[in-house]
């Protein structure tokens, strides 16, 4: 018979969690017990400590005490059920390691009294002084106990410690559980391998920024979207895909099938989502202003019922190409990991005559040839 059956049927309303009786009975501060109807202990918990009395774990998850200490739940007879360890412990540990590593390598003024004559490495006291906060306040961050640190404070830490992009992302993940927002042009630096990948794609492919500016595109994409003779990305009169699709007269009237409902309205939905994610972006607002100068686009933007689309991945579209007829394709989109504001897009042909192959002087052929 399981040990808890010996207490008979017990409704959850008869359980009670107490501290004082357990502390008095076991002589251990912080002990707590769960008792049945007649006060017989069902489970007893203790702060998780090792032989020297220091807490073994740090956990803010539900079921743990307010101090964040992990707890040991013990059956009558002394059997330990759990030690309360969780991923929060690992996050706090690695946040501290990251900050200590960055402090240790920081280059500072040897005359700074906080460095004690060292050329590298700064103390928590010096770090706090550079941040304009108390040492105790900074220490709460390094120990993983700072609740809801502001992005501005974390960005100050990044600047003082001269963190690279990967370290910055880890700092925000460890401290807030979320990735930081893009910092600007630095987030658009493309690894050379991506440009080669785009060029070698058998389908039309490109990479553009969060404001739809082309960074790279293969010949198939340029020919299909911008028309034959588009040349290279650098030769385009306007590299912004959104402006080209929404404002170009040929796109509206001839090339893009069902321009209003399949192209314009959904892409404006993506722009709404981008602005909602970063309402302080001057680049996005400048792009919006350039689009709203057109009365047709403004009418679509102001429509009471818009299209709610945050990304184009999986969308099926069609283009009427003068040389090849109607081209049907599915958009496949993904973000570049090392530069999260860059989007890799390929137009996978769904037509029956898809036959990729090389075309002399133009790199990879469009997938519809």
């Amino acid at each position: 018979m399981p040990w808890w059956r010996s207490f008979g049927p017990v409704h959850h309303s008869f359980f009670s969690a107490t501290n004082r009786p357990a502390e008095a009975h076991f002589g251990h501060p912080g002990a707590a017990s769960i008792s049945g109807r007649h006060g017989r202990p069902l489970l007893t918990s203790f702060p998780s400590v090792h032989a020297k009395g220091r807490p073994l774990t740090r956990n803010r998850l539900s079921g743990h005490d307010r101090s964040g200490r992990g707890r040991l739940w013990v059956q009558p007879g002394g059997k330990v059920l759990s030690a309360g360890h969780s991923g929060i412990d690992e996050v706090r540990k690695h946040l501290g390691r990251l900050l200590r590593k960055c402090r240790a390598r920081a280059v500072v003024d040897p005359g700074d009294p906080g460095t004690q004559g060292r050329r590298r490495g700064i103390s928590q006291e010096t770090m706090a002084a550079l941040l304009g906060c108390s040492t105790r306040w900074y220490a709460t961050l390094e120990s993983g106990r700072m609740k809801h640190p502001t992005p501005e404070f974390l960005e100050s830490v990044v600047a003082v410690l001269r963190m690279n992009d990967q370290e910055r992302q880890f700092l925000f993940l460890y401290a807030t559980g979320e990735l930081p927002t893009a910092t600007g042009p630095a987030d658009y630096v493309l690894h050379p391998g991506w440009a080669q990948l785009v060029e070698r794609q058998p389908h039309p492919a490109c990479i553009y920024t969060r404001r739809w500016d082309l960074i790279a595109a293969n010949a198939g994409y340029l020919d299909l979207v911008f028309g034959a003779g588009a040349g290279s990305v650098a030769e385009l009169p306007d590299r912004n895909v959104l402006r080209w699709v929404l404002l170009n007269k040929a796109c509206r009237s001839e090339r893009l099938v069902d321009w209003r409902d399949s192209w314009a309205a959904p892409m404006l939905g993506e722009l709404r989502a981008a602005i909602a994610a970063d309402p302080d972006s001057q680049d996005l607002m400048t792009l919006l202003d350039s689009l709203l100068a057109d009365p047709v686009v403004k009418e679509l933007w102001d429509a009471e019922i818009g299209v709610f689309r945050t990304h184009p991945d999986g969308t099926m579209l069609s283009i009427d190409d003068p040389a090849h007829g109607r081209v049907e394709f599915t958009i496949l989109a993904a973000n570049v990991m090392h530069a999260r504001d860059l989007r890799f897009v390929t137009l996978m042909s769904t037509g029956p005559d898809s036959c990729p192959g090389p075309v002399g002087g133009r790199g990879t052929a469009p997938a519809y040839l």
Side-chain angles (χ1 to χ4, degrees), residues 225-282:
V225 177
F226 289 87
S232 65
V233 171
E235 297 176 274
L236 294 174
D238 187 351
R239 295 191 301 169
N240 191 273
V241 177
L242 199 57
R243 270 199 300 265
W244 177 262
V245 168
L246 296 181
L247 302 181
N248 183 268
K249 293 182 179 180
C251 289
R252 289 183 182 181
S253 60
E254 302 170 9
R255 293 179 56 79
L256 308 185
V257 178
D258 192 22
W259 173 83
R260 184 185 185 92
D261 295 329
S262 296
W263 289 84
M267 292 186 79
L268 287 175
E270 292 180 41
L271 180 56
R272 287 190 185 93
I275 293 175
D278 189 7
D280 296 326
S281 172
Q282 191 58 47

Side-chain angles (χ1 to χ4, degrees), residues 41-42 75 91 96 98-99 103 109 134 161 194 211 223 239 249 263 265 278 283 310 335 341 368:
L42 300 183
Q75 295 179 5
V91 169
L98 171 66
L99 290 170
R103 282 198 295 110
D109 183 2
S134 68
L161 295 178
W194 275 102
R211 68 183 303 271
D223 287 350
R239 295 191 301 169
K249 293 182 179 180
W263 289 84
D278 189 7
D283 286 344
T310 60
N335 289 105
D341 274 356
Y368 51 87

Side-chain angles (χ1 to χ4, degrees), residues 26-308:
F26 292 100
H28 194 297
S33 64
I34 295 179
S35 303
R37 168 181 274 179
H38 303 295
R40 300 180 65 181
L42 300 183
L43 288 175
T44 302
S45 74
F46 302 89
S48 179
V49 296
H50 58 40
K52 294 184 179 180
R54 294 194 298 269
L56 285 174
T57 60
R58 296 287 185 270
N59 201 320
R60 291 182 294 184
L61 297 179
S62 60
H64 292 72
D65 64 358
R66 290 179 181 271
S67 68
R69 291 178 294 183
R71 302 190 71 85
L72 296 174
W73 289 96
V74 185
Q75 295 179 5
K79 181 179 179 182
V80 176
L81 296 183
S82 69
H85 184 70
S86 81
I88 297 294
D89 304 311
E90 297 300 319
V91 169
R92 288 178 172 176
K93 178 176 66 177
H94 290 296
L95 172 59
R97 286 179 177 176
L98 171 66
L99 290 170
R100 287 191 295 271
K101 170 190 172 184
C102 292
R103 282 198 295 110
R105 71 161 188 227
V107 178
V108 295
D109 183 2
D112 189 331
T115 66
Q116 300 177 350
R118 293 174 296 173
R119 295 189 61 84
R120 284 185 179 272
I122 56 177
S123 64
Q124 286 191 350
E125 291 78 9
T126 303
M127 186 70 189
L130 294 172
L131 292 171
C133 65
S134 68
T135 302
R136 184 175 182 178
W137 178 252
Y138 172 76
T140 60
L141 173 67
E142 197 161 298
S143 66
R145 295 185 174 281
M146 182 177 290
K147 294 183 178 180
H148 312 298
T150 64
E152 293 77 15
F153 179 73
L154 294 179
E155 291 292 3
S156 298
V157 174
V158 171
V160 170
L161 295 178
R162 299 182 181 180
M163 290 181 164
N164 60 36
D165 184 62
Q166 293 281 5
E167 291 167 342
R168 175 175 174 264
Q169 291 186 40
F170 266 110
L171 174 64
F172 274 77
L173 280 174
Y174 288 151
T176 69
E178 298 179 355
L179 287 169
T181 57
T183 57
D187 290 282
Y188 298 155
V189 177
L190 192 64
H191 188 280
W194 275 102
Q196 296 175 18
L197 177 66
V198 168
E199 191 64 32
R200 295 174 183 176
Q201 285 297 300
H203 298 276
C206 73
I207 293 177
Y208 56 74
T209 70
R210 63 174 176 169
R211 68 183 303 271
W212 287 268
D213 288 329
L214 277 180
I215 297 292
N218 63 10
Y221 184 89
L222 293 172
D223 287 350
L224 181 61
V225 177
F226 289 87
S232 65
V233 171
E235 297 176 274
L236 294 174
D238 187 351
R239 295 191 301 169
N240 191 273
V241 177
L242 199 57
R243 270 199 300 265
W244 177 262
V245 168
L246 296 181
L247 302 181
N248 183 268
K249 293 182 179 180
C251 289
R252 289 183 182 181
S253 60
E254 302 170 9
R255 293 179 56 79
L256 308 185
V257 178
D258 192 22
W259 173 83
R260 184 185 185 92
D261 295 329
S262 296
W263 289 84
M267 292 186 79
L268 287 175
E270 292 180 41
L271 180 56
R272 287 190 185 93
I275 293 175
D278 189 7
D280 296 326
S281 172
Q282 191 58 47
D283 286 344
L284 290 174
M285 295 309 298
T286 300
L287 174 60
L288 177 61
D289 290 341
S290 69
L291 295 172
L292 296 185
D294 182 90
V296 176
V297 175
K298 189 176 189 310
E299 178 188 354
L300 286 172
W301 181 262
D302 294 336
E304 292 186 6
I305 301 178
V307 176
F308 300 99

